[in-house]
């Protein structure tokens, strides 16, 4: 994990100089630091596995404490709101002063959140436990995204996809682990997963040791417009469009992540464990799509990938509410593969629009993704209480149409497309 990496960041706020005092400086053509990328991706896998447990145990919490769908949505909101509120602040702070060991410290919040959730007997305590897990996520994402870019060797889309791959597979593992462990053994078995958090703490501490020597604090450099790049007004419009695109993508994924289990149980009468397996299939497809989106953006341009990945899912989302059980499973795989491929391209596109605020932009977009998911889950839960789960999916089917806004995205210079 001591492989030297040279990072070419466009006018960063706090220049990061990567070198190894014991060896000659790395050449600019040095490739990605694969060990570091693998470590940060695996940590993302562990982090999101623990996060996804919350949504996966909703049926247990609903039955045990007689919760309605609105209360289920509020649990998601408590978890996501903490992450959404703090991630931009964390990113803004680490733009000025990187915190290599903050990742392992933040993971400790997730560790205690899981322990608290395993013994929670009151609704407010459940909300507090979910908020602690969200706090760990808020600390984890901005700085880990920076480390992924630092280790990219210039292949930014690829590095972001590797990073996203770990998180997506972690999200997909939650339902499976819930079906195999939490459902048979009950709420108390959630405490077992704190061992995953402890493993993540150890890995992130080791990555922090690699990261710390790479940082050379220097006086902040003023931001300058890139030659041939968009104007400030175009940048502001583009960021607003990217937020809207992320809204359409994340809210749809949130609707399936939070309520797909209930939808399958309500419409097709499947068991809770079977429904969790179907949810795993959808989330695993998301993981595969998230991996391929970044390299495709590096090769063909991020704007093209954004166009295809969001609008391309629209015919399949429109068909899903009218399909049978097995057809729904097939459609969910297709939707997951297509719609998730846009995540890396959206995030890297935003980072390249405002490269001198890398941490803050990463925090805003990761935070917006979490916040939209949490707020959307709460609103959709309220809507489901007043109508039905099936009606919710009929409404959400039109969300990818927001992808038409991609027409307002600027064309970036060739080397940053």
């Amino acid at each position: 994990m001591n492989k030297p990496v040279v990072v070419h960041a466009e006018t960063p706020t706090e220049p990061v100089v990567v070198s190894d005092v014991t060896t000659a400086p790395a050449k600019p053509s040095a490739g990605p630091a694969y060990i570091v990328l693998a470590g940060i991706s695996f940590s993302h896998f562990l982090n999101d596995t623990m996060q996804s447990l919350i949504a996966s145990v909703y049926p247990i919490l609903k039955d045990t404490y007689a919760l309605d769908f609105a209360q289920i949505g509020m649990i998601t909101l408590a978890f996501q709101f903490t992450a959404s509120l703090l991630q931009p602040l964390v990113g803004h702070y680490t733009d000025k002063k990187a915190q290599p060991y903050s990742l392992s410290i933040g993971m400790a919040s997730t560790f205690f959140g899981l322990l608290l959730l395993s013994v929670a007997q009151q609704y407010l305590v459940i909300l507090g436990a979910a908020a602690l897990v969200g706090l760990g996520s808020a600390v984890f994402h901005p700085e880990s995204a920076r480390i992924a870019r630092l280790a990219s060797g210039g292949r930014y889309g690829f590095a972001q996809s590797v990073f996203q791959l770990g998180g997506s597979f972690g999200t997909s593992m939650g339902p499976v682990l819930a079906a195999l462990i939490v459902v048979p053994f009950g709420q108390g078995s959630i405490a077992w997963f704190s061992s995953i958090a402890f493993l993540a703490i150890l890995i992130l501490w080791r990555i922090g040791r690699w990261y710390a020597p790479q940082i050379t604090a220097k006086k902040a450099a003023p931001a300058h417009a890139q030659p041939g790049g968009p104007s400030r007004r175009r940048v502001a419009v583009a960021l607003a469009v990217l937020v809207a695109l992320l809204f359409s993508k994340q809210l749809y994924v949130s609707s399936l992540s939070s309520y797909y289990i209930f939808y399958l149980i309500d419409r097709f009468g499947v068991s809770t464990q079977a429904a969790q397996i179907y949810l795993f299939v959808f989330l695993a497809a998301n993981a595969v799509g998230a991996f391929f989106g970044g390299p495709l953006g590096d090769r063909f341009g991020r704007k093209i990938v954004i166009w295809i990945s969001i609008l391309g899912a629209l015919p399949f989302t429109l068909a899903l509410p009218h399909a049978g059980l097995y057809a729904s499973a097939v459609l969910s795989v297709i939707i997951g593969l297509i719609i998730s491929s846009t995540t890396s391209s959206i995030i890297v596109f935003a980072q390249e629009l405002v490269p001198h605020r890398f941490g803050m932009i990463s925090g805003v977009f990761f935070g917006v993704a979490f916040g939209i998911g949490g707020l959307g889950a709460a609103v959709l839960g309220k809507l489901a209480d007043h109508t039905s789960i099936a009606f919710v999916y009929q409404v959400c089917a039109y969300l990818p149409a927001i992808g038409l806004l991609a027409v307002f995205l600027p064309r970036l210079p060739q080397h940053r497309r």
Side-chain angles (χ1 to χ4, degrees), residues 58 61-62 65-78 116-117 119-131 187 378:
Y58 282 168
L61 298 176
K62 187 175 187 296
Y65 302 105
L67 305 179
D68 57 29
F69 286 120
Q71 289 174 308
I72 292 293
M74 287 300 298
I75 297 174
T76 302
L77 180 60
L116 184 60
L117 183 61
V119 298
Q121 300 295 321
Q122 297 179 342
Y123 182 64
L124 289 179
V125 178
I126 294 174
L127 292 178
Q187 181 182 349

Side-chain angles (χ1 to χ4, degrees), residues 172-212:
S172 69
M173 283 302 298
V176 175
L177 295 176
L180 297 177
I181 298 176
V182 181
V183 171
F185 298 102
Q187 181 182 349
S189 62
I190 297 175
W192 301 351
F193 295 96
S194 62
S195 60
I196 297 179
F198 184 74
L199 174 61
I201 290 172
L202 297 179
I203 294 173
L204 291 172
W205 186 265
R206 181 65 185 90
I207 290 176
R209 291 182 61 191
W210 171 86
Y211 181 30

Side-chain angles (χ1 to χ4, degrees), residues 135-292:
L135 177 61
S137 175
V139 176
F140 175 80
H141 284 97
E143 197 72 339
S144 59
R146 188 194 305 275
I147 291 175
R149 187 176 178 92
L150 181 67
S152 68
R155 297 177 62 188
Y156 303 130
F158 168 76
Q160 187 62 223
S161 284
V162 172
F163 176 65
Q164 293 291 335
L165 178 66
S168 298
F169 268 118
T171 300
S172 69
M173 283 302 298
V176 175
L177 295 176
L180 297 177
I181 298 176
V182 181
V183 171
F185 298 102
Q187 181 182 349
S189 62
I190 297 175
W192 301 351
F193 295 96
S194 62
S195 60
I196 297 179
F198 184 74
L199 174 61
I201 290 172
L202 297 179
I203 294 173
L204 291 172
W205 186 265
R206 181 65 185 90
I207 290 176
R209 291 182 61 191
W210 171 86
Y211 181 30
Q214 320 296 331
I215 305 164
T216 300
K218 291 186 177 181
K219 185 177 180 181
H224 299 288
Q226 291 294 310
S231 65
R232 288 187 177 182
R233 183 175 180 277
R234 289 295 307 275
V235 167
V237 171
L239 289 176
V241 168
L242 291 172
V243 169
L245 296 178
L246 197 60
F247 169 83
S248 67
K249 181 261 181 186
Q250 192 63 26
L251 184 55
Y252 187 84
V253 172
S254 177
S255 71
L256 265 72
S257 299
S258 295
Y259 301 111
Y260 193 45
I261 290 175
F262 299 111
Y263 172 76
L264 295 175
I265 293 173
D266 178 69
R267 182 170 181 188
F268 302 110
V270 300
S271 67
T272 298
Q273 287 180 307
Q276 287 169 328
I277 297 300
Y278 281 108
L279 178 59
F280 162 74
V281 171
F282 165 71
L283 295 175
N286 266 271
V288 175
F291 174 74
F292 286 105

Side-chain angles (χ1 to χ4, degrees), residues 32-42 147-149 151-152 158-159 162-163:
Y34 291 107
I35 295 178
V36 177
L37 283 178
I40 203 67
S41 180
F42 184 61
I147 291 175
R149 187 176 178 92
S152 68
F158 168 76
V162 172
F163 176 65

Side-chain angles (χ1 to χ4, degrees), residues 307-331:
W307 265 108
I308 296 174
S309 62
I310 296 184
L311 275 179
L314 183 59
F316 304 102
T317 61
L318 292 173
L320 182 62
H322 309 287
L325 176 61
Y326 298 113
S328 294
V330 173
L331 287 172

